[in-house]
Each structure stands twice: as structure tokens, then as C-alpha cells.
Amino acid sequence: MSDTVVIVGSVVFAQSLWAGRSLERLQMTGSSWLLAGTLCAVWLAAMSVGQSRAIPILGSGTDEYRRVINATFAAFGLFAICAMLLKIDVARGLLVTALPTGVAALLLTRHCWRRWLANKRAAGALCERALLVGPAADVEFVGRRMLKTPGCGYRIVGAAVGETSPADDEPGSVLTIPVVATPDDVHEAVRRLEIDAVVIAGSELDRTELRELGWALGETGTVLVVASSVGDISGPRINWRPVEGLPLMRIELPHFDGAKYVLKRAFDVVAAGAGLMLALPLLLVVAAAVRLDSPGPVLFVQERIGLGGKAFRILKFRSMTVDAEQQLLKVLGGGMRAFYKTKRDPRVTRVGAFIRKYSIDELPQLINVLRGDMSLVGPRPQVAEEVELYDAAMRRRLLVKPGITGLWQVSGRSDLDLDESVRLDLYYAENWSLAGDVAIVLRTVRAVLRGAGAY
């Protein structure tokens, strides 16, 4: 319904804009309004044919937005080609105005519906009742990810495992998920618990058993979902290729150079330059406040490790006392550790506490971005002592430029544990996209305004 309202509204707005405002003019352009109605019909048909409202894509990921955009451009392209072949005079202004207006309005309404849907699902509504099937360790891994994302659309009712693991929270459960069946009696559990989706979380079932389970579930209308053991890979790197009825998942290796990095650099330069100009009054006010609050320089300059392990000098507004680095080991209570952050750090000044809460102390790093040492989005750069503690997986953070903000900053900031922070950084390094960078920057604004997880 909202798609129809937006599409009709965008076309009527564009047609009215170019047809003129007087009633006489509108009445004289009946044929143009017929064309406008045809455009609406083609646009709506393309949205349906492109499956932009398919239930599996609603509420998560970017596939929904991508299908909306692709369907819109397909509709306008088809309409323009048909008009040219049939030699129909179509006002260019109609297409030029309706296209951007419609796309923007469609994406906005989809975003609003997505927020509404996520809130409903987080409250337990509009979810599919799911049963996890597999070994206890795999059920725990998949269940942990699904429980952490209530907006995914699945409400886990129970698990079917052969035996529980020693890490179970209580007897007869896995990660607080009750064990309600074994892999041999999944079909009975589906009927008894009114399951909507069976999620295969491991290799407990062989190929024949999995096929027979699919046949059995077909009689109940239950969906079969297979969770891949390969995690932390985004959609663009995954392609499916059927070979004699066998679906093969092809995973593209991550690349760390090429044209998309040129676009990333261009985006960094333009955005950082604009950000510095807009933030100049704030920078001057903060500089004065830092200077007046405590003795010492306005800026804090420190050597950090960036792309490929190369050192550079990072800029920040000073938020701690001038002897903060000498007191570091005392504050940590021992040796150095990676991703160190301490709540209620005694070294933080009064002004420092405020600018750290809202990440204002990071603004001078826009200069680092213009220099090319950093990017707007990427893993946070760390000091050499932290980098020396990296294992092989953590060193992959150095395959991309460090950033002012990043995926873990918009997912909980310093409240995240070490493993989750590293996982998010590695996911970003191997799966980043320019559209994703823009989304992270926008999410950063919301995270900063909330001020949670920063200290």
C-alpha cells in the first residue's frame, strides 16, 4: 500500500510540476496523464516482478533496498524505450523528476517499515517459530547469533540435538534453548510445537536424511533453512551455482585494491573536507575549552599503526592529563592488552570526559583522513604495543586503512568484548562497500548522540 501511495504520489507530483498549475492546462493534457498512469502501472509491476516485497528479504540486509532501486530503474528504462519505439512524446521532466523523488521516498518508507518491523520482532511478534537442529556446539553457535539479532524474524522455540555440550547453561538445554527433540524425531516436534522454520545448524543429518526431512516438512508448510558453517561473509561475495541439482556456494576471496578503493579515497577526501569546514566553529570552541580546563597542549599526538603496519601520527583533542601515558600501566593494573579501555579512567579531565562521550575528541583526525593516513570508516588504529599482541587473525585488521569510525563503534563501542570487536573489524576489512561506509557514517551520528559505550 505504501509503495502504491509513493509511486502514484511521485508521478502525480512530477506531472503537475511540468504540466503547469492552472486547471485549464491540466485539463488540456489528458494524454500526458494517461502516460503518467501507464508509468505508475509499469513501476508497480516492476516492483512486484522484482520481488521487492518478498518476505525473506524484509527487515534485514541491503537486498530489499537493492531490489527497490533495480526495479525502479528497470521500469523507467522500459517505459522510455517503449515510448521511443512507439514515437510517443514524453516530457523529459516527468522522468527526471519522478525517478529521484520516487526512489528517495520508497527507500524512506521502506526504512520506516523496517524500523517498525524490527521493533515488533524484538517484542516477539511477527516472527517464525524456529527449531534448531544439529550438534550441540553448532546449535550453540547459530543460536547465539540468532538470539543476538531479535530482528532477524526467528523466535527459537527449541533445539533438536543428539547430546548437549559441557557448556550448557542447564541440563536439557543449549544456551538457554530447551532441547525438545533429537534429530531423529524432528518431524514430530515440528507438529507438536507448531514450528514455522527448521534451521539446520550443522552436519547432524546426512544428505539423504536432509532430503527426506525436506519432503516431510513440505507436508506441514514448514520452511527448511540451512545455516552455513562459513560465517562473517557478506552477500556480494557469495554466489550460488547449481551443478546437477547440487547447490554450490562460491565465495569470492577479498581484494584489497582496485577501483572501489579509489572511490573510497574520493569519498574520504570530499567528506573529510566538508566535515572540517562545517565543524570549524566547534573545533575552535573545543580547543579553547581544552586549553582552559587543564595545563597542556590542545592536541594529543601519538604514533599509531596503520595500513600494512606502517606507523603514522594520529591527532586528537587532548582529553587526559599530560602525564597520561606514563600512568597507563598503573591504570591497567599490569601489562599491556589489546583494545584496552577503562571505565572512569582517573586520567580523563572534565572537558575530556564530555568530548570523549560524544567522540568530539576524534574530529582532528579528519586531517589524518585528508593526509591519507586514515579513512573515515575502518578499524580503529592502535599503538605498536597492542599490535605486537595480535595473532594471525587480528593482523588482518591492517589490510585496510584505519578509520575514525567503524563497524564496532556503531555496534556498542567500548561495551563490546575483545572477541566481538575483532570479529566486527575483520568482517568489515573483508566485506566493506562504499554504500556500507555511508551507512556506518550515518549510524555513527546516532551512536555518538546517544553517548553510550564511550569512555
Side-chain angles (χ1 to χ4, degrees):
M1 291 176 63
S2 61
D3 284 351
T4 302
V5 170
V6 166
I7 288 173
V8 173
S10 299
V11 173
V12 168
F13 167 75
Q15 181 67 9
S16 301
L17 185 67
W18 290 95
R21 295 186 177 181
S22 67
L23 180 60
E24 293 78 14
R25 178 59 183 250
L26 293 178
Q27 290 174 341
M28 292 174 60
T29 56
S31 60
S32 63
W33 283 102
L34 178 61
L35 288 175
T38 303
L39 175 59
C40 290
V42 173
W43 196 347
L44 288 168
M47 295 283 284
S48 297
V49 172
Q51 296 186 332
S52 66
R53 293 181 288 272
I55 290 179
I57 69 166
L58 296 180
S60 61
T62 59
D63 199 27
E64 177 185 358
Y65 299 137
R66 181 180 60 82
R67 294 191 187 190
V68 168
I69 294 173
N70 289 346
T72 298
F73 277 93
F76 275 74
L78 177 62
F79 184 80
I81 291 173
C82 291
M84 181 182 65
L85 293 176
L86 297 175
K87 297 182 179 180
I88 300 175
D89 186 20
V90 179
R92 293 186 181 90
L94 169 64
L95 303 181
V96 171
T97 305
L99 177 60
T101 303
V103 169
L106 283 171
L107 295 181
L108 178 60
T109 54
R110 289 300 184 99
H111 176 72
C112 294
W113 279 119
R114 175 176 290 212
R115 294 290 301 274
W116 176 85
L117 180 60
N119 291 333
K120 287 290 186 179
R121 285 176 170 175
L126 303 178
C127 292
E128 293 181 306
R129 295 169 57 85
L131 176 70
L132 299 183
V133 180
D138 292 327
V139 166
E140 181 176 348
F141 175 77
V142 175
R144 189 183 301 276
R145 296 292 182 91
M146 294 176 70
L147 290 172
K148 190 175 181 180
T149 313
C152 67
Y154 295 108
R155 181 157 60 91
I156 302 176
V157 176
V161 299
E163 58 181 15
T164 57
S165 68
D168 295 345
D169 294 286
E170 57 186 42
S173 71
V174 177
L175 194 68
T176 70
I177 303 171
V179 176
V180 297
T182 65
D184 296 328
D185 52 10
V186 170
H187 186 244
E188 185 276 331
V190 166
R191 293 184 179 276
R192 173 166 48 88
L193 299 174
E194 299 180 348
I195 298 298
D196 300 309
V198 172
V199 181
I200 306 299
S203 56
E204 190 80 5
L205 303 177
D206 61 28
R207 179 175 59 86
T208 301
E209 292 172 330
L210 188 59
R211 182 179 59 180
E212 292 177 349
L213 175 60
W215 290 342
L217 294 179
E219 301 174 1
T220 64
T222 303
V223 177
L224 183 63
V225 180
V226 179
S228 171
S229 59
V230 181
D232 296 328
I233 298 177
S234 68
R237 288 178 54 202
I238 300 175
N239 294 288
W240 292 96
R241 177 182 298 176
V243 177
E244 289 296 324
L246 177 67
L248 298 182
M249 182 172 65
R250 177 187 176 92
I251 301 175
E252 299 290 343
L253 295 177
H255 298 283
F256 301 99
D257 54 16
K260 72 174 189 176
Y261 279 87
V262 176
L263 291 176
K264 182 179 177 71
R265 178 59 183 156
F267 172 69
D268 285 341
V269 171
V270 172
L276 274 176
M277 289 188 291
L278 293 175
L280 183 58
L282 176 61
L283 294 175
L284 296 176
V285 171
V286 174
V290 171
R291 185 70 174 178
L292 295 174
D293 181 53
S294 63
V298 170
L299 292 178
F300 172 71
V301 183
Q302 186 183 47
E303 187 174 274
R304 298 284 181 96
I305 305 300
L307 176 65
K310 182 180 178 181
F312 70 96
R313 297 174 69 81
I314 195 172
L315 303 175
K316 300 177 67 174
F317 279 123
R318 183 175 58 84
S319 60
M320 294 184 175
T321 57
V322 290
D323 60 346
E325 294 192 273
Q326 289 72 32
Q327 299 183 45
L328 177 60
L329 293 181
K330 178 181 177 181
V331 172
L332 294 178
M336 174 66 70
R337 63 178 185 271
F339 290 85
Y340 63 86
K341 277 293 183 79
T342 304
K343 290 183 178 181
R344 292 179 290 276
D345 194 320
R347 302 173 298 164
V348 178
T349 63
R350 290 175 300 174
V351 170
F354 178 83
I355 63 177
R356 287 166 72 94
K357 180 177 181 180
Y358 296 102
S359 297
I360 300 174
D361 60 322
E362 313 284 359
L363 288 178
Q365 289 163 36
L366 292 172
I367 299 175
N368 288 115
V369 174
L370 292 177
R371 288 177 177 174
D373 299 324
M374 297 177 63
S375 174
L376 282 178
V377 183
R380 285 297 295 165
Q382 298 189 294
V383 297
E385 291 80 2
E386 290 180 284
V387 175
E388 290 175 0
L389 301 176
Y390 283 5
D391 57 19
M394 293 175 68
R395 294 198 69 84
R396 294 186 67 82
R397 299 176 79 250
L398 305 178
L399 293 174
V400 295
K401 282 185 181 180
I404 297 178
T405 184
L407 195 54
W408 70 263
Q409 284 90 337
V410 299
S411 302
R413 302 173 84 176
S414 297
D415 286 337
L416 297 177
D417 59 28
L418 173 61
D419 291 340
E420 185 66 7
S421 297
V422 172
R423 185 187 72 81
L424 291 174
D425 277 344
L426 297 186
Y427 178 87
Y428 174 81
E430 297 186 351
N431 300 284
W432 78 271
S433 66
L434 187 59
D437 279 6
V438 174
I440 289 175
V441 170
L442 295 177
R443 290 174 61 189
T444 298
V445 176
R446 183 175 63 181
V448 166
L449 293 177
R450 289 174 55 196
Y455 40 84

